Amino acid sequence: MKYMLLIHSGAVDEQGGAPQCTVEDWTAYDKDVRDAGILVSGESLADLVTATTVRVSPTGERTVTDGPFAETRELLGGFLVIDVPDLDAALDWAARCPGARDGGSVVVRPVADFGAPGDSGDSQGPAASGDPSGSGDFGG
Amino acid sequence: MVGEGASPGEPEEARVAVEAVFREERGLLLASLVRRFGDLDLAEEVTSEAIEAALRHWPAEGVPARPGAWLLTTARRKAVDRLRRDQVYAARLAVLQADAERAETERAEAVADPAGRGELPDERLQLFFTCAHPALAAEDRTALTLRCLAGLTTPEVARAFLVPTATMAQRIVRAKKKIREARIPFRVPGPDELPERLPGVLQVVYSVFTEGYAASSGRSLQRLDLAEEALRLARILHRLLPGGREAAGLLALLLLVHARRAARTGPEGEPVLLEDQDRGLWDRAMIEEGRTLVVHALTGGPAGPYGVQAAIAALHDEAADVESTDWAQIVALYDVLLTLTPSPVVAVNRAVAVAMRDGPGAGLALLDALGGEPRLRTYGPYAVARGDLLTRLGRDGEAAAAYREALELAGTEPERAVLRRKLGDGPGGLAGG
């Protein structure tokens, strides 16, 4: 089952890093995720000042604005999509993420699966994903 | 859910007896089905259907030799039927059946169970951890535990929390949806996670008991039905975690406190303070059972918070009266408890114990030092404790102010009645002075 880890940074310094979490921490975490074979995708986001917002009004009019701005101390810094058997496993990976430290947080959200049954091609046995209603966990 | 009556003799009695069996069996059955099908909703539905089928068949055909196995087989068949009808699950059914057959074989090999109730494997511990998962809202955890493990119906759970049935039904649906769709697993956490997760499970049972012991609102002070439900859950937990000292501590605590239930309220439902309680009304058997468990909870390493609280309760229960209570040891235990769970509420209790050991002045000084705690501003017992110590010191004016504050905060009518009496005229009343 796929989970998205939304990584919100806590207090950020000028370089975009938090005091107790180094580039090495991130590199190590990245390697662990890859080595575990659970990585579906993941990116870290460029600085917030580069963000641009698009809205389309009911009449189809497009508005492009600068922002959003960091109103709070927490802002989305990146994301990971991982494929693991259950929420506990996803929470374990979230807890290991350097972004969860130093006042940061990682929001874990299951990825909705609208695919046809049994087409996910995974080989993790009955507890694997590929179930549109999400209720097919014949937990092993 | 009632069938067409039980035996011709005393149908009502037989029905009640059968339903009592179901209440006991329901959690086991549900846990077993959840384990097998991984779907709480499905498990609940087929559990109810199996029980309904039993209520129809048993009165006519007699109770089967292994009622639990009968229920499980019936429920499982119903679940498989449902899954078969649902195309989405068709592909999984083969896996599921292979799984079930393997489990069946394993069970047949392990069938020689001396306890006699081994016809159902006890998978309730997994269900406890699922219902108390930290990914669920705290209030939902308690509701779900009562629903799934105590076997209460949704209206009963709603009544327990004094919310409308529709509200509770919504909450339970939401929680079950999260379990299913976020895939909260049905499993007992491994030894590395257990220390982190077990307190949550114990907390759920403790919260149910606390609400039963001192209702936060309503007409009566105690809700014995809830307290007893919590006690039942604590017993199950202790049975499932025989080596768990905090599970033993929790059960001990509930037993030692619940043992005083008959003496805790007066004829009009008013609260009776520990020092005024008729100790002859205390449940001696329950106290004995609790004391034995406390010893277990405190042996073999540093004690946990439930074990320490149980030890305090045991000291109260052992004493013939307030004067001969071992207040010095109680203060020492509160010191330990404060290091384990630093909380202003524990500090208030400790201050009262100090007042008993060293006199009301010493206790009052400690209480006043806690005056800045924001949490205590809405904590009625803090104001009551201050009022009592001030009265003992003869500072009636200040005592009255404290009692008036407590009156504002009191949640149940019996508490308010006692405070009004303390404030009013007559013997012992501050205005009568």
Side-chain angles (χ1 to χ4, degrees):
Chain A
M1 166 128 164
K2 295 191 183 94
Y3 293 87
M4 182 175 225
L5 312 190
L6 293 160
I7 302 156
H8 296 269
S9 344
V12 179
D13 63 23
E14 295 82 54
Q15 280 81 47
Q20 260 123 65
C21 131
T22 63
V23 177
E24 288 75 44
D25 292 337
W26 281 104
T27 315
Y29 181 66
D30 192 52
K31 183 178 174 341
D32 286 349
V33 170
R34 280 170 206 279
D35 290 353
I38 56 165
L39 181 69
V40 178
S41 64
E43 299 290 349
S44 55
L45 303 180
D47 194 291
L48 194 70
V49 298
T50 62
T52 311
T53 304
V54 178
R55 283 187 188 83
V56 176
S57 75
T59 56
E61 198 182 338
R62 190 162 92 171
T63 319
V64 175
T65 53
D66 184 18
F69 303 104
E71 308 281 347
T72 63
R73 302 297 291 166
E74 288 201 348
L75 50 104
L76 187 63
F79 72 90
L80 268 180
V81 178
I82 57 172
D83 195 348
V84 291
D86 59 43
L87 183 67
D88 277 357
L91 294 177
D92 284 344
W93 281 104
R96 290 174 61 179
C97 178
R101 295 178 220 148
D102 296 323
S105 63
V106 176
V107 175
V108 178
R109 295 194 58 178
V111 174
D113 183 353
F114 301 110
D119 70 349
S120 63
D122 54 56
S123 54
Q124 293 172 32
S129 59
D131 165 27
S133 69
S135 53
D137 179 4
F138 304 130
Chain B
M1 196 180 92
V2 182
E4 42 263 40
S7 72
E10 314 86 59
E12 178 60 20
E13 209 172 296
R15 190 183 59 81
V16 169
V18 167
E19 283 187 349
V21 172
F22 291 153
R23 202 175 177 100
E24 197 53 41
E25 216 67 52
R26 194 177 181 281
L28 272 171
L29 195 57
L30 191 66
S32 184
L33 290 160
V34 164
R35 179 83 185 128
R36 198 159 311 184
F37 295 98
D39 186 324
L40 195 47
D41 261 331
L42 177 71
E44 273 206 301
E45 280 167 29
V46 297
T47 296
S48 297
E49 283 177 23
I51 290 175
E52 274 168 41
L55 282 168
R56 267 196 317 275
H57 288 109
W58 294 1
E61 294 157 23
V63 175
R66 298 167 66 213
W70 189 96
L71 284 167
L72 180 61
T73 307
T74 307
R76 207 174 53 214
R77 216 170 275 150
K78 285 176 188 293
V80 170
D81 281 348
R82 270 176 190 237
L83 292 178
R84 195 174 283 141
R85 260 179 275 140
D86 192 335
Q87 285 302 308
V88 171
Y89 292 98
R92 297 184 176 248
L93 202 54
V95 180
L96 176 72
Q97 274 170 333
D99 246 21
E101 274 159 29
R102 195 180 52 238
E104 220 36 48
T105 318
E106 281 165 13
R107 192 156 315 121
E109 283 160 4
V111 82
D113 182 345
R117 33 175 328 115
E119 56 184 44
L120 287 189
D122 205 329
E123 278 143 340
R124 283 177 294 184
L125 196 55
Q126 277 105 313
L127 198 49
F128 263 110
F129 277 98
T130 306
C131 291
H133 199 283
L136 298 169
E139 53 184 25
D140 294 355
R141 287 177 223 162
T142 318
L144 214 53
T145 303
L146 280 175
R147 175 86 185 87
C148 296
L149 282 150
L152 264 58
T153 63
T154 302
E156 280 169 336
V157 179
R159 216 174 307 137
F161 291 99
L162 306 165
V163 299
T165 301
T167 310
M168 184 51 73
Q170 237 167 22
R171 264 166 55 181
I172 289 178
V173 166
R174 188 183 63 197
K176 285 198 291 198
K177 183 176 164 160
K178 175 140 191 194
I179 291 176
R180 189 174 62 239
E181 295 187 3
R183 197 170 288 182
I184 292 178
F186 300 94
R187 62 180 189 107
V188 177
D192 52 325
E193 297 165 276
L194 204 57
E196 188 190 315
R197 294 281 308 278
L198 185 60
V201 172
L202 300 173
Q203 175 67 46
V204 162
V205 177
Y206 184 66
S207 322
V208 174
F209 184 79
T210 311
E211 188 58 31
Y213 170 76
S216 54
S217 57
R219 269 176 310 155
S220 48
L221 186 76
Q222 304 191 81
R223 315 257 320 269
L224 291 179
D225 53 336
L226 264 187
E228 263 148 33
E229 214 51 75
L231 206 51
R232 212 165 68 80
L233 289 171
R235 277 189 197 283
I236 296 173
L237 265 181
H238 174 60
R239 206 182 311 137
L240 296 174
L241 287 164
R245 288 165 53 221
E246 272 295 83
L250 175 66
L251 177 55
L253 174 62
L254 303 198
L255 286 165
L256 290 164
V257 172
H258 198 60
R260 302 184 210 127
R261 66 198 176 280
R264 284 191 66 234
T265 48
E268 278 141 57
E270 75 278 14
V272 179
L273 293 176
L274 192 61
E275 56 184 282
D276 304 324
Q277 287 178 15
D278 174 1
R279 294 178 183 224
L281 295 174
W282 289 0
D283 188 329
R284 287 292 142 195
M286 221 174 235
I287 291 173
E288 273 322 302
E289 193 187 353
R291 287 178 62 187
T292 310
L293 283 160
V294 168
V295 174
H296 171 47
L298 298 182
T299 312
Y306 292 112
V308 174
Q309 289 182 77
I312 293 170
L315 286 172
H316 285 303
D317 286 3
E318 285 161 13
D321 50 46
V322 169
E323 285 71 36
S324 63
T325 303
D326 190 345
W327 291 105
Q329 210 184 329
I330 288 178
V331 172
L333 285 166
Y334 272 121
D335 288 338
V336 175
L337 191 58
L338 260 179
T339 63
L340 293 172
T341 52
S343 110
V345 170
V346 175
V348 169
N349 284 297
R350 181 180 175 276
V352 172
V354 169
M356 297 306 293
R357 188 189 62 180
D358 304 335
L364 186 65
L366 289 172
L367 282 183
D368 286 342
L370 292 167
E373 285 286 346
R375 269 183 68 195
L376 294 180
R377 251 171 252 150
T378 53
Y379 184 65
Y382 174 69
V384 176
R386 281 196 74 239
D388 288 346
L389 294 185
L390 285 162
T391 308
R392 267 189 252 172
L393 290 165
R395 289 154 66 175
D396 287 357
E398 291 163 85
Y403 285 137
R404 271 192 291 272
E405 203 180 312
L407 189 59
E408 300 257 308
L409 297 169
T412 61
E413 192 43 49
E415 288 171 87
R416 282 192 283 273
V418 166
L419 288 165
R420 266 188 229 110
R421 208 168 309 145
K422 280 180 195 279
L423 280 164
D425 307 310
L430 290 168

